[in-house]
Amino acid sequence: MPRPIKALIDLAALRHNYVRSKQTAPQSKSWAVVKANAYGHGLDAAVHALESVADGFALLELDGAVHLRESGVQQPILLLEGVFEPTDLHWAQAASLACVVHCEEQVSLLCAADAPVPGMLWIKLNTGMNRLGLRPERLPSVLEKLRALPSQPQLGLMTHFSDADGPSGVAEQLQVFNAAKAEVHWQGPISLANSAALLRFPESQGDWIRPGIMLYGGSPFGTAQSAQSLDLQAVMTLQANIVGVQNLQAGEHVGYGNTFTANVPMRVGIVACGYADGYPRHAPTGTPVAVHTSRGVVHTRTLGRVSMDMLCIDLTNIADAGMGSTVELWGAHNSADAVAEAAGTVSYELFCALTPRVPQVEV
Ligand SMILES: *Cc1c(COP(=O)(O)O)cnc(C)c1O
């Protein structure tokens, strides 16, 4: 018997969310961002689900990108961080991968004699995030070098926003980007927006959007603007069963460290999910969880510390749940954003942290 835990992956919800991202930017093409194993959802499953609708795919793992091409993906595939070493260029060119160029070292690699140059390069500008990207003042000289390449690759211009979901928004970075663009009389395609920018700032859409988290049904704004209110559907539902029930007397504790003490008699369900499955150990008592009962789904809370293979939930007053009941850790009835907020993180991290021992089941 396998341990009773699984992650249901709703591929129709993934397609719905992709279509939703396209409706937000009807004039733009879209790279479905599938880095980090499609944010933990399974690269093959996600790409297969989107293959008939997506304009392109973006990720930063070269092996994953080559694998997609070899498995027959026809659309453009973008390497979001470009190449890391010279030999990567051979793979990128052979698999017709588009490459980001974010630093002078990558420009040098491309300009080396006999370097295999991919057919499309996206020059990434650092417009204020100060993570990856060339400073705008470097653009004219980089353009000159790349335009001189004998293979004449197509060129695009992109940037990434640091606070599209926060108080700063995108205005300042957009201004820096537009100034750099004007300076070189840029005519080619541009790409700017992640999910948050796309949903909040129509002026930042550009020719190619780059939605990630919204495809998986996470809100880029957390609980401040729920996924449901954005018409996004949960793709991953992590569920596990109750494998033990304890009846506590007032004054008794639950779990490691005795961090939770019952002050009245309580009924506690022990769920077959712990941090070795990717559930955040930091989730405190009170983190939202949902349990399936004969009355439908009932919302309750976690109790005490999350351990490696188990966590505890409050079943007091939920008499129709017990041994064997299905518990939803996050998903369609219990938003990953709310769980993430309770645990001091974001839905991105919950999804990506799901560990390989949890079987994924496409639905
Ligand atoms: C991950 C990533 C995205 C997608 O961001 P979301 O916030 O998940 O929509 C877009 N662009 C780049 C460069 C990224 O690395």
Side-chain angles (χ1 to χ4, degrees):
M1 268 292 276
R3 196 162 151 263
I5 180 169
K6 59 188 168 193
L8 307 177
I9 306 294
D10 183 344
L11 299 179
L14 181 60
R15 275 189 293 271
H16 166 91
N17 296 336
Y18 178 83
V19 170
R20 172 81 181 86
S21 77
K22 287 281 284 190
Q23 284 165 347
T24 311
Q27 314 300 328
S28 309
K29 289 191 171 184
S30 176
W31 274 305
V33 178
V34 292
K35 63 190 177 191
N37 194 29
Y39 290 47
H41 292 67
L43 179 63
D44 283 322
V47 169
H48 185 64
L50 294 177
E51 210 175 339
S52 60
V53 287
D55 301 312
F57 295 97
L59 69 174
L60 46 85
E61 299 86 354
L62 178 61
D63 54 346
V66 169
H67 164 75
L68 291 186
R69 190 60 88 212
E70 284 174 352
S71 61
V73 170
Q74 302 289 321
Q75 289 95 327
I77 300 175
L78 174 66
L79 282 179
L80 285 167
E81 294 185 351
V83 295
F84 302 99
E85 51 180 301
T87 52
D88 293 352
L89 279 178
H90 291 271
W91 290 99
Q93 193 206 42
S96 300
L97 307 177
C99 269
V100 165
V101 181
H102 67 75
C103 61
E104 305 283 350
E105 289 78 1
Q106 289 178 332
V107 176
S108 303
L109 282 186
L110 290 160
C111 294
D114 299 332
V117 175
M120 173 115 209
L121 301 172
W122 284 84
I123 302 167
K124 183 165 185 172
L125 292 182
N126 169 16
T127 54
M129 182 162 182
N130 295 315
R131 199 176 56 175
L132 293 184
L134 293 147
R135 296 243 165 204
E137 60 268 24
R138 300 296 306 146
L139 182 59
S141 91
V142 165
L143 265 182
E144 199 182 332
K145 288 179 193 163
L146 297 181
R147 283 178 175 154
L149 288 169
S151 67
Q152 293 284 296
Q154 288 179 273
L155 300 177
L157 196 59
M158 67 184 285
T159 193
H160 193 53
F161 298 122
S162 60
D163 203 28
D165 55 327
S168 317
V170 302
E172 260 184 53
Q173 283 187 261
L174 203 51
Q175 203 180 356
V176 172
F177 185 86
N178 286 334
K181 211 176 93 178
E183 174 96 27
V184 297
H185 308 288
W186 182 258
Q187 302 288 335
I190 63 168
S191 176
L192 309 165
N194 61 359
S195 301
L198 173 61
L199 291 165
R200 238 179 117 196
F201 302 104
E203 69 274 24
S204 74
Q205 289 168 354
D207 301 295
W208 281 84
I209 56 173
R210 306 190 304 268
I213 194 66
M214 70 181 293
L215 300 180
Y216 306 100
S219 168
F221 315 110
T223 55
Q225 204 176 339
S226 74
Q228 197 178 8
S229 74
L230 295 165
D231 185 26
L232 300 173
Q233 299 176 1
V235 177
M236 182 192 294
T237 293
L238 176 62
Q239 54 177 232
N241 291 0
I242 294 179
V243 295
V245 174
Q246 298 288 345
N247 291 293
L248 269 57
Q249 293 172 17
E252 293 185 326
H253 321 288
V254 179
Y256 284 120
N258 301 339
T259 62
F260 179 80
T261 305
N263 54 12
V264 292
M266 290 183 74
R267 192 159 162 272
V268 178
I270 315 303
V271 183
C273 178
Y275 61 78
D277 300 300
Y279 193 92
R281 186 175 174 279
H282 285 108
T285 291
T287 300
V289 60
V291 56
H292 292 226
T293 75
S294 50
R295 293 171 285 152
V297 172
V298 176
H299 293 267
T300 180
R301 57 178 182 146
T302 64
L303 298 174
R305 271 195 199 149
V306 173
S307 45
M308 186 183 287
D309 311 301
M310 284 172 275
L311 56 80
C312 306
I313 66 169
D314 190 354
L315 294 182
T316 317
N317 305 323
I318 313 180
D320 49 353
M323 268 312 265
S325 295
T326 297
V327 172
E328 186 176 310
L329 288 319
W330 59 71
H333 304 95
N334 182 37
S335 100
D337 292 307
V339 175
E341 183 177 273
T345 184
V346 289
S347 64
Y348 299 73
E349 190 181 9
L350 297 187
F351 297 149
C352 292
L354 191 78
T355 62
R357 86 170 183 185
V358 179
Q360 299 202 350
V361 180
E362 295 167 24
V363 295

